Amino acid sequence: MGHLNVQLLLTGDELMTGDILDTNSMAVADALMPLGLVLSRKVVVGDALSQLAAEIEAMTQQADVLIVNGGLGPTIDDLTAQALANVIGQPLQEHPQAMAELQAWCDRRNYPLNGPNKKQALLPKGVDIVSNHTGSAAGFKVTHNDCMVICTPGVPSELSVMLEKGIVPLLSNLVIDDHTQIEKYQVFGMGESSVQRIFEEVYPNWPPEIELGFRAAFPMLEVKLTAHSASGIRLLPEWQLKIETQLAEHIIARGKILLPEKLVALLSAQNKTLALAESCTGGLIASKITSVAGSSRVFEAGIVSYSNEIKHKVLGVSQKTLTEFGAVSEAVVLEMAQGVLDISGSDYAVAVSGVAGPGGGTVDKPVGTCWVAWGESGELKTKCLFFPAERELFQQYIATASLDLIRRDLLGITDTPFYFSK
């Protein structure tokens, strides 16, 4: 492991009240991991100047590196610069580089550089800038109590870029231990407990040199192998092969590539197009696809046909089918899929219709029931999935399964996915 004691101090009343979710801790921990570093301590404080200053002073006495997150904005409750100035006994003053970067940020957006914004360039005397490539608030660093203090923005997208472009290169120069290698797999359709059980049963002699970790980011699961020594790194390829053999087609990709990216890449490579007919997911499948740059080359259309009338009028689902079988049925999703293929001229389609809940379920079709039709014209397949969960989780799961079924078709995978048996 790296021999640096790295600590994290998060600030913001909204973190204390639970108004926002703390995703930044995870981003920092993820960025440190490839360097062989793990956070030794994490503290969260509200927007109180004296408390913030006291924590910075106390944590710098223990840590080699202190990352302070949040409190760099233009408003009166953004107190990190003032707190750090108090701790290091330096006045706040306009930092020329911070001001130049702030001016450039405003110019790109045709914003006037006003008084509140200028506050973001008032930094403790003597700090060095850690550039913020996406936002207006500059990051900055200074050494205090032999500890490198790095102040970072609270906006997750800004922090993410600063970690990659500024902080990781900075810390990699300080890390003593270079014997860390991490391999990640993005997995869909198998839960953490299922994967854990498989490995315990099949590989009871798992080597201690390789750490097996899981991170559930529903509905995906990240499986991670970490080697912290030269001997562990030598063993990695053999154990990666074992992982790949066991999880097989449930592995979406190695590394950080997610399912929508993978699917867009596959469709592009095969010069194929996709169209969607969504009912219970309300456009979520389309949203996942179109979050990927370049999706316009492969995504033709998404029709959210919530009502039976629209299923009939737009997608051509027959009134007889709707009356006889109901909206949540195999017959209806087959006609929805064929309808969107006919309208769009796409190569592939997915159609979904289900009971998202919390109401609307029946004995025959309880909440969590969803019929899916997918595939090419003339070769459409169907499956009834059952995932009784809170509405948003149900929608996420069905949307992801829909993308996965097309991925499997494109790759010619005929194995039955684990989630079909669940």
Side-chain angles (χ1 to χ4, degrees), residues 245-315:
T245 303
Q246 285 305 315
L247 300 185
E249 313 302 355
H250 293 89
I251 295 174
I252 302 300
R254 274 177 65 173
K256 287 192 167 185
I257 297 170
L258 298 178
L259 179 52
E261 294 173 73
K262 178 72 177 178
L263 183 55
V264 168
L266 282 171
L267 287 163
S268 297
Q270 296 186 25
N271 203 21
K272 300 290 187 184
T273 54
L274 174 67
L276 305 167
E278 301 185 56
S279 187
C280 56
T281 46
L284 185 58
I285 312 174
S287 173
K288 286 180 180 291
I289 283 279
T290 56
S291 70
V292 181
S295 54
S296 57
R297 292 197 303 275
V298 300
F299 181 57
E300 292 286 349
I303 294 171
V304 181
S305 54
Y306 240 61
S307 70
N308 283 354
E309 190 179 4
I310 296 300
K311 287 181 180 73
H312 172 63
K313 279 186 178 175
V314 177
L315 292 172

Side-chain angles (χ1 to χ4, degrees), residues 135-152:
S136 60
F140 46 94
K141 66 182 176 73
V142 71
T143 300
H144 179 65
N145 291 334
D146 289 327
C147 172
M148 182 192 287
V149 182
I150 309 170
C151 296
T152 62

Side-chain angles (χ1 to χ4, degrees), residues 311-328:
K311 287 181 180 73
H312 172 63
K313 279 186 178 175
V314 177
L315 292 172
V317 179
S318 80
Q319 291 285 17
K320 182 175 180 293
T321 305
L322 285 163
T323 306
E324 192 173 337
F325 299 103
V328 180

Side-chain angles (χ1 to χ4, degrees), residues 9-15 24 46-47 52 56 67-85 92 98 101-102 105 115-124 127-133 135-141 149-155 158-159 162 167:
L9 174 58
L10 301 121
T11 175
D13 285 345
E14 64 279 8
L15 287 168
N24 286 351
D47 297 312
L52 188 52
I56 292 173
I67 298 172
V68 183
N69 183 245
L72 301 188
T75 57
I76 199 164
D77 59 351
D78 291 307
L79 302 168
T80 297
Q82 183 65 66
L84 185 61
L92 287 176
E101 291 187 6
L102 182 57
W105 184 87
N117 268 334
K118 284 182 179 175
K119 172 180 178 285
Q120 294 175 115
L122 281 176
L123 304 179
V127 300
D128 294 317
I129 296 302
V130 181
S131 293
N132 184 342
H133 296 271
S136 60
F140 46 94
K141 66 182 176 73
V149 182
I150 309 170
C151 296
T152 62
V155 179
E158 295 178 21
L159 172 66
M162 191 178 286
I167 295 168

